[in-house]
Amino acid sequence: MRAKEKLLLGLAALLAVLALGVFAAGRLSGAESRSAGEESIPLADWPAADIERFGIEYAGETLTFVKAELPEGQAGSGAAADSDGAAEPESEWRLEGEPETALDQGALSTMLTALAGLQADRALGAASGEYGLDTPTLRFWVTANGATHTFVVGDENGVTGSVYLQREGESEAYLVAASRVAGLKKTRGDLLAEPADTAGKEGVEPTPGQGENAPQSGQTAESAAPGE
């Protein structure tokens, strides 16, 4: 009888160990799934084409960008034509309040790509005062589909090199790869379009053989020289 009881107790203990193992495996699997999900947390649910306006606060400047419709047949001053000769876009981005200021549309396109593809590497829970989000190094906002979303970027994480980010109005903080927001750190001067090269710029000296005393067709250099 005692042997049978011991056998039953042994089987019960074995079943308990197996059940504990199954439970632990389930918890581990769930933790791995959450970790995998945190590798890429989308923070933007709008494509670049749906962005109506956006802006940044960086290096003491506040810049807001709006779409400017171009007159029919007018090429964008800041955007280059496609290599296959495709038509210029019908609108381009300008500074709000400065419609005549030509901007580097390529740099602005990079900014739009960053805004539309914004993702976090990890969710951290409620923001901590140690993240530097109260005194952000960068603040940016996007208006898409009639809604405005604002984010702040805090300090850099000394271990991962990522930066802390938070959406205004929410308590959740995130770690975001620094490269994802690097393209947004621009000043007004960084975004101005370079003036097109023009012929006959002042200060450009004529090359030898050019100018008023240059030999004409059929003349030698001696005959073209002024008399003594």
Side-chain angles (χ1 to χ4, degrees):
M1 189 67 180
R2 286 180 176 276
K4 189 173 183 180
E5 289 178 354
K6 289 182 178 180
L7 179 60
L8 290 175
L9 288 173
L11 290 174
L14 179 60
L15 289 174
V17 171
L18 290 174
L20 182 61
V22 171
F23 176 76
R27 291 292 299 272
L28 180 60
S29 176
E32 289 177 347
S33 297
R34 289 192 298 273
S35 177
E38 289 177 350
E39 291 180 1
S40 179
I41 304 172
L43 300 177
D45 58 357
W46 53 83
D50 288 348
I51 296 178
E52 301 155 12
R53 59 191 285 133
F54 67 99
I56 56 173
E57 286 183 11
Y58 176 67
E61 295 182 341
T62 300
L63 307 174
T64 299
F65 305 94
V66 294
K67 279 184 179 180
E69 298 297 327
L70 297 176
E72 186 176 353
Q74 179 178 329
S77 59
D82 293 339
S83 58
D84 59 357
E88 294 284 351
E90 297 180 356
S91 65
E92 65 179 19
W93 292 92
R94 296 293 176 95
L95 280 169
E96 187 174 54
E98 299 184 39
E100 302 302 321
T101 301
L103 301 177
D104 183 345
Q105 298 299 309
L108 291 169
S109 178
T110 299
M111 297 174 76
L112 289 168
T113 300
L115 293 170
L118 187 61
Q119 294 181 338
D121 298 328
R122 183 181 172 192
L124 303 173
S128 166
E130 299 177 355
Y131 296 161
L133 296 167
D134 294 333
T135 54
T137 59
L138 169 69
R139 182 173 178 266
F140 60 93
W141 58 92
V142 185
T143 299
N145 301 317
T148 300
H149 313 267
T150 304
F151 300 85
V152 291
V153 177
D155 296 337
E156 180 179 303
N157 182 286
V159 176
T160 65
S162 300
V163 294
Y164 296 103
L165 179 141
Q166 183 181 33
R167 189 195 297 259
E168 285 191 356
E170 298 182 2
S171 61
E172 187 83 33
Y174 302 91
L175 270 179
V176 177
S179 59
R180 294 188 184 277
V181 296
L184 300 175
K185 295 181 177 182
K186 300 292 184 181
T187 64
R188 183 180 183 278
D190 295 332
L191 296 170
L192 294 178
E194 294 184 3
D197 292 336
T198 55
K201 290 183 179 179
E202 293 185 5
V204 178
E205 297 182 359
T207 57
Q210 294 181 346
E212 294 180 358
N213 295 329
Q216 301 299 318
S217 176
Q219 285 185 310
T220 63
E222 293 180 357
S223 62
E228 294 181 1

